[in-house]
C-alpha cells in the first residue's frame, strides 16, 4: 500500500465560502493544474490535478485541522466534501465508493454505506444528515 502526503498552502484573496460550488468561471474540470479548495477566508492548494485518480478519493488535512475528501469522478470533475462520516464519526469518506443517482455523483461511506451527494453534501439515505461541501478550482 502506498501512502501519499498532500500539503496545503494558503492562497490569498478568495471570495468563495466552503458551501459555494464551483462556477463556470472557476471550473473544476481542467485536466491539469493545481486543485484548490475554498476554506475559511482563503483558497488552499491541496495537490496537483494529475495526482488524482478517477473514481478514487484522497484525504486532505486543512490548516484548521479539519479534513476534506477530494474526488476525481470519471467525467473528470473534481469534488470536495468533509471527510468525516456523520454516522460513525470516522474520517473515512475519502475511501468511499463513487457512484451516481439520477445523474448526480455521490460517495458511499466505506463503513455503513450511506450515500452523500458530492454537489450538495446531502445524505441520499437520511434527509436530516449532510456533510460540508467545499468549492473547488483547478488552476
Amino acid at each position: 500500500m502506498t501512502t501519499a502526503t498532500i500539503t496545503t498552502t494558503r492562497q490569498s484573496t478568495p471570495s468563495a465560502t466552503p458551501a459555494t460550488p464551483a462556477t463556470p468561471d472557476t471550473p473544476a474540470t481542467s485536466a491539469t493544474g493545481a486543485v484548490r479548495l475554498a476554506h475559511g477566508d482563503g483558497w488552499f492548494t491541496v495537490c496537483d490535478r494529475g495526482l488524482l485518480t478517477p473514481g478514487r478519493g484522497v484525504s486532505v488535512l486543512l490548516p484548521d485541522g479539519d479534513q476534506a475528501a477530494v474526488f476525481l469522478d470519471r467525467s473528470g470533475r473534481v469534488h470536495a466534501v468533509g471527510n468525516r462520516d456523520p454516522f460513525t464519526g470516522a474520517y473515512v469518506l475519502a475511501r468511499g465508493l463513487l457512484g451516481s443517482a439520477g445523474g448526480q455523483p455521490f460517495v458511499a461511506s466505506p463503513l455503513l454505506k450511506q450515500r452523500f451527494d458530492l454537489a450538495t453534501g446531502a445524505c441520499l439515505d437520511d434527509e436530516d444528515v449532510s456533510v460540508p461541501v467545499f468549492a473547488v478550482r483547478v488552476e
Side-chain angles (χ1 to χ4, degrees), residues 67-71 79-83 93 107 117-119 121 131-134:
Q67 292 183 26
V70 178
F71 300 93
H79 304 273
V81 297
N83 194 34
L93 291 182
V107 60
D117 186 301
L118 290 175
V131 294
V133 174
F134 297 91

Side-chain angles (χ1 to χ4, degrees), residues 10-17 37-44 137:
R10 184 181 176 135
Q11 305 296 319
S12 61
T13 65
S15 59
T17 60
L37 304 184
H39 185 67
D41 64 350
W43 284 96
F44 298 92
R137 285 184 181 172

Side-chain angles (χ1 to χ4, degrees), residues 46-125:
V46 297
C47 69
D48 184 76
R49 161 66 173 74
L51 294 174
L52 299 176
T53 303
R56 301 227 174 170
V58 296
S59 178
V60 176
L61 182 61
L62 300 170
D64 66 357
D66 200 7
Q67 292 183 26
V70 178
F71 300 93
L72 177 62
D73 68 21
R74 298 209 184 268
S75 69
R77 186 158 180 87
V78 180
H79 304 273
V81 297
N83 194 34
R84 183 178 176 274
D85 179 340
F87 289 94
T88 64
Y91 290 84
V92 296
L93 291 182
R95 294 179 178 232
L97 300 172
L98 293 186
S100 64
Q104 288 295 108
F106 67 79
V107 60
S109 172
L111 298 178
L112 301 177
K113 308 303 185 252
Q114 283 89 358
R115 300 167 300 150
F116 298 93
D117 186 301
L118 290 175
T120 67
C123 179
L124 302 177
D125 304 299

